Amino acid sequence: MNTTEQQFLKELDDKLWKAADKLRSNLDAANYKHIVLGLIFLKYVSDAFAARQHELRKLFQTESDELYHLPREDYDGDAEYRAALEEELEVLDYYREANVFWVPRTARWSTLKEKVALPIGSVLWQDAQGKDVKLRSVSWLIDNALDEIEKSNEKLKGILNRIGQFQLDNDKLIGLINSFSDTSFSQPVYKGQKLDLRSKDILGHVYEYFLGQFALAEGKQGGQYYTPKSIVTLIVEMLEPYRGRVYDPAMGSGGFFVSSDRFIEEHASEQHYDPTEQKKHISIYGQESNPTTWKLAAMNLAIRGIDFNFGRKNADTFLDDQHPDLRADFVMANPHFNQKEWWHESLAEDVRWKYGTPPKGNANFAWMQHMLHHLAPVGSMALLLANGSMSSNTSGEGDIRRHLVEEDLVECMVALPGQLFTNTQIPACIWFLTKDKSGGFSPNKVKKRTRRGEVLFIDARQLGYMRDRVLRDFTIEDVRKLADTFHAWQRGEEEFGTAYEDVPGFCKSASLEEIKKHDFVLTPGRYVGAPEQEGDGEPFAEKMARLTAQLKAQFEESDRLEAEIKRNLGGLGYEL
């Protein structure tokens, strides 16, 4: 985005957040996020519907011009023609064929904005039996819209949270609706300049911004559904999921999927792909145990028009795998670090524990082996874990790690800087694994070199900047540096265009023999060493002679000063 578009989005974020923040006097962040995100969703589906209707109207009118060869005013003024046109615009199939959710009249944003201004008890419309439907409250009106949208769209059933349970003040809800209504998401204009931003781009951005703000407001609990954007971007940039099946078994609010979609849009032109066509080659699979977060993820993808399969319901990934037969080309996840309460006796002989049964008190290697189980033969995966996973030898974790290395599954280890997460200060790392290092083309049509017996170690602890007092973030340059280092190593100079080189203190390509010498500990700092210090051009022998003479002179001066101090004290009648 250019600077003007970024300024527009920042001001929009601030404006809408201030409007939403007025609800905080009544509710905590864990509850009022449902109201705000629900309204964002309503606004999105209604805007998308209106945009499609506008497109159809132009199409039908053009066809009328060609059919009748009459001046527009001759049939625009015809009541019968106008009625037929309006009826045609309400045909559901026209919207579904364009992957646009059907929005009944009573659920459209224009209806919502019009009806909230009426006094409570006013007649809104008549139902199918001809009975008057009266306005009970603003929250009821919003819930009714959500009900109607769910009834009309199978994909949305059970994912939209109702807000009537929170018993909110009508005036505050009306103010929030007006704040969303004041902004044109379809054809935004900022300081007199028309912006090249689509409605779904703007609302998708707003949805993501609000998720981040709610995660900050909720602290540790909020972090369970929100992975920092820069880490998500880094993993997606390194894996490059252009095509294939993408799976996240601990998906939270779906950040990896959204970032994959954005990645395709941004990089498709570099690969000479059409973004719309390319997205047809991506299939999204996810799972989440928390029912609220499961709904957030579904809304997050729906608001961007991304198709998805999140299973029949929210469910525990270990105990109720919603995709038992899936073999994914790309697997990405940020599960709970060092999760303690996960074990069940039914998992004792599970087929997924191919490299060793994970300890009952820590699910780190359970997540890893679950992901490996679902990884396709030539697929790639990335897993965010606590740093302890790289070195721990307790409860059999060291043996599992050794088996993973000996089977040559580990491709790259990245040590991350601290303070990246909203919900934990535990230092973290990223594991990149693959079942095939033999080279050739990957599912995303990228050619890789043979990497058997090699592991890349990257120490990124010195990268990033402090976004505020407590949170660190990566810059675009940081992400690019890390991704380019990985790709240069993975593909080789001929394919990538840049030769990989070890950089002391930053990256090192190590052999399995070297890793064995370190007792299969995978902490990057053990391999990359210390950064080289810039030389001053002075030969070592000459430098040592100079520094030795300088030190000798300083000792002599120290002795002289000590003797003088003693003499002065003696003159005053004191002795040391």
Side-chain angles (χ1 to χ4, degrees):
M1 290 182 291
N2 60 42
T3 304
T4 303
E5 290 167 344
Q6 290 174 350
Q7 289 175 345
F8 164 76
L9 290 175
K10 185 180 185 310
E11 289 187 16
L12 179 63
D13 290 340
D14 292 343
K15 168 190 167 184
L16 296 181
W17 180 253
K18 285 177 183 175
D21 214 33
K22 292 176 182 176
L23 298 175
R24 288 186 72 175
S25 58
N26 301 77
L27 297 165
D28 61 25
N31 288 325
Y32 82 86
K33 73 167 175 267
H34 299 306
I35 300 153
V36 178
L37 295 176
L39 281 174
I40 291 173
F41 186 81
L42 271 179
K43 178 65 173 164
Y44 163 72
V45 293
S46 192
D47 276 15
F49 182 89
R52 175 60 175 165
Q53 193 166 73
H54 178 73
E55 181 184 305
L56 290 168
R57 188 183 299 276
K58 286 175 66 177
L59 176 65
F60 295 153
Q61 289 178 337
T62 300
E63 289 175 350
S64 297
D65 290 343
E66 294 173 353
L67 180 64
Y68 296 112
H69 302 289
L70 293 172
R72 171 61 54 83
E73 57 269 17
D74 283 6
Y75 56 82
D76 267 2
D78 187 324
E80 187 176 340
Y81 166 80
R82 290 202 314 275
L85 176 61
E86 293 305 318
E87 184 178 347
E88 192 71 10
L89 288 172
E90 295 295 319
V91 175
L92 183 146
D93 288 342
Y94 289 136
Y95 300 86
R96 288 191 174 162
E97 69 182 10
N99 198 27
V100 172
F101 292 115
W102 171 259
V103 184
R105 287 184 187 275
T106 56
R108 293 171 196 171
W109 192 265
S110 55
T111 303
L112 196 65
K113 191 171 185 306
E114 174 192 345
K115 302 301 184 184
V116 295
L118 297 175
I120 301 300
S122 299
V123 175
L124 300 173
W125 52 73
Q126 291 185 322
D127 61 19
Q129 287 73 43
K131 295 181 179 178
D132 288 344
V133 176
K134 296 181 179 180
L135 178 63
R136 304 175 199 170
S137 66
V138 175
S139 58
W140 173 86
L141 187 64
I142 294 169
D143 283 351
N144 179 76
L146 295 170
D147 286 340
E148 292 299 313
I149 289 171
E150 278 200 358
K151 288 176 188 175
S152 304
N153 300 277
E154 185 70 26
K155 195 77 175 176
L156 298 178
K157 282 192 175 175
I159 74 166
L160 304 180
N161 281 306
R162 307 302 187 266
I163 70 170
Q165 59 183 308
F166 300 119
Q167 299 178 334
L168 287 162
D169 182 85
N170 284 332
D171 290 338
K172 287 189 175 180
L173 281 175
I174 292 171
L176 198 52
I177 290 169
N178 288 337
S179 293
F180 280 106
S181 301
D182 289 343
T183 303
S184 172
F185 294 95
S186 299
Q187 296 177 317
V189 176
Y190 180 69
K191 294 183 177 178
Q193 179 180 341
K194 188 175 179 181
L195 303 180
D196 186 24
L197 291 172
R198 296 170 298 179
S199 175
K200 75 170 188 175
D201 295 327
I202 300 171
L203 283 161
H205 165 87
V206 169
Y207 191 94
E208 190 171 17
Y209 171 78
F210 271 61
L211 280 176
Q213 291 298 103
F214 285 128
L216 285 171
E218 291 182 63
K220 186 173 182 178
Q221 181 183 358
Q224 293 178 2
Y225 62 78
Y226 185 77
T227 305
K229 185 178 176 182
S230 59
I231 299 178
V232 173
T233 301
L234 172 62
I235 288 175
V236 169
E237 288 282 344
M238 290 178 76
L239 286 186
E240 296 185 309
Y242 289 129
R243 60 172 60 217
R245 292 152 297 188
V246 179
Y247 173 52
D248 183 345
M251 65 183 181
S253 55
F256 281 117
F257 303 135
V258 170
S259 195
S260 296
D261 185 72
R262 188 184 297 115
F263 175 84
I264 293 172
E265 293 216 348
E266 291 176 355
H267 293 274
S269 58
E270 298 172 13
Q271 304 296 323
H272 309 293
Y273 297 142
D274 173 69
T276 304
E277 285 300 312
Q278 190 57 30
K279 288 180 186 180
K280 295 177 182 178
H281 300 293
I282 284 280
S283 301
I284 299 295
Y285 298 86
Q287 182 155 348
E288 172 60 43
S289 60
N290 185 294
T292 298
T293 309
W294 188 79
K295 292 178 181 180
L296 287 178
M299 288 169 64
N300 201 6
L301 267 65
I303 211 169
R304 292 167 170 84
I306 303 173
D307 198 17
F308 57 88
N309 180 347
F310 290 165
R312 304 180 313 278
K313 59 181 179 178
N314 60 288
D316 185 288
T317 299
F318 299 125
L319 298 175
D320 189 5
D321 191 345
Q322 294 290 294
H323 309 287
D325 302 320
L326 174 65
R327 296 298 178 267
D329 301 297
F330 300 97
V331 184
M332 302 173 277
N334 172 26
H336 297 189
F337 291 173
N338 305 322
Q339 184 179 347
K340 291 179 173 58
E341 303 296 328
W342 74 280
W343 179 257
H344 188 275
E345 290 307 316
S346 63
L347 298 171
E349 302 296 328
D350 199 287
V351 68
R352 290 170 287 186
W353 315 148
K354 185 176 179 180
Y355 306 99
T357 303
K360 297 178 181 180
N362 193 318
N364 286 343
F365 285 98
W367 284 110
M368 188 176 297
Q369 293 189 83
H370 172 86
M371 291 167 69
L372 280 167
H373 176 76
H374 283 288
L375 188 64
V378 294
S380 298
M381 61 171 269
L383 173 62
L384 267 163
L385 285 180
N387 274 0
S389 63
M390 299 188 289
S391 58
S392 171
N393 287 313
T394 59
S395 306
E397 288 186 330
D399 291 332
I400 297 174
R401 190 172 55 253
R402 174 173 57 81
H403 289 147
L404 294 171
V405 173
E406 289 176 339
E407 292 295 322
D408 208 9
L409 296 169
V410 183
E411 184 165 35
C412 177
M413 299 296 301
V414 179
L416 296 171
Q419 296 180 270
L420 285 171
F421 297 86
T422 59
N423 63 325
T424 181
Q425 293 302 311
I426 297 175
C429 61
I430 311 175
W431 292 64
F432 289 89
L433 294 92
T434 182
K435 293 180 178 178
D436 184 8
K437 293 184 184 177
S438 63
F441 287 95
S442 63
N444 56 4
K445 306 300 181 184
V446 172
K447 188 177 181 181
K448 301 177 181 177
R449 68 177 183 86
T450 300
R451 307 170 311 288
R452 290 193 183 102
E454 300 176 34
V455 176
L456 177 64
F457 291 92
I458 299 177
D459 191 341
R461 289 177 297 172
Q462 302 306 313
L463 298 184
Y465 68 100
M466 293 306 295
R467 210 171 85 189
D468 52 39
R469 287 189 308 107
V470 295
L471 281 178
R472 180 177 288 273
D473 207 349
F474 282 136
T475 65
I476 295 171
E477 290 74 22
D478 293 331
V479 171
R480 177 50 52 205
K481 178 180 181 178
L482 292 166
D484 284 351
T485 299
F486 180 57
H487 295 151
W489 174 85
Q490 188 183 58
R491 301 179 201 171
E493 182 177 9
E494 184 177 342
E495 182 66 23
F496 185 66
T498 303
Y500 167 80
E501 291 183 1
D502 289 341
V503 178
F506 176 64
C507 62
K508 161 77 174 177
S509 181
S511 67
L512 298 191
E513 281 302 312
E514 290 177 82
I515 296 172
K516 184 177 180 181
K517 290 177 183 176
H518 284 281
D519 295 324
F520 299 96
V521 170
L522 299 179
T523 306
R526 288 207 177 193
Y527 300 90
V528 303
E532 286 184 349
Q533 300 297 320
E534 289 190 16
D536 53 13
E538 184 178 7
F540 178 76
E542 293 180 14
K543 190 171 188 176
M544 280 301 294
R546 177 176 61 79
L547 291 175
T548 301
Q550 186 178 330
L551 183 61
K552 182 182 178 183
Q554 288 173 344
F555 282 152
E556 290 173 350
E557 178 65 10
S558 174
D559 290 341
R560 186 188 67 78
L561 290 172
E562 184 179 351
E564 189 168 337
I565 291 170
K566 286 181 178 179
R567 189 170 57 252
N568 291 336
L569 287 172
L572 296 172
Y574 295 97
E575 286 188 18
L576 284 178

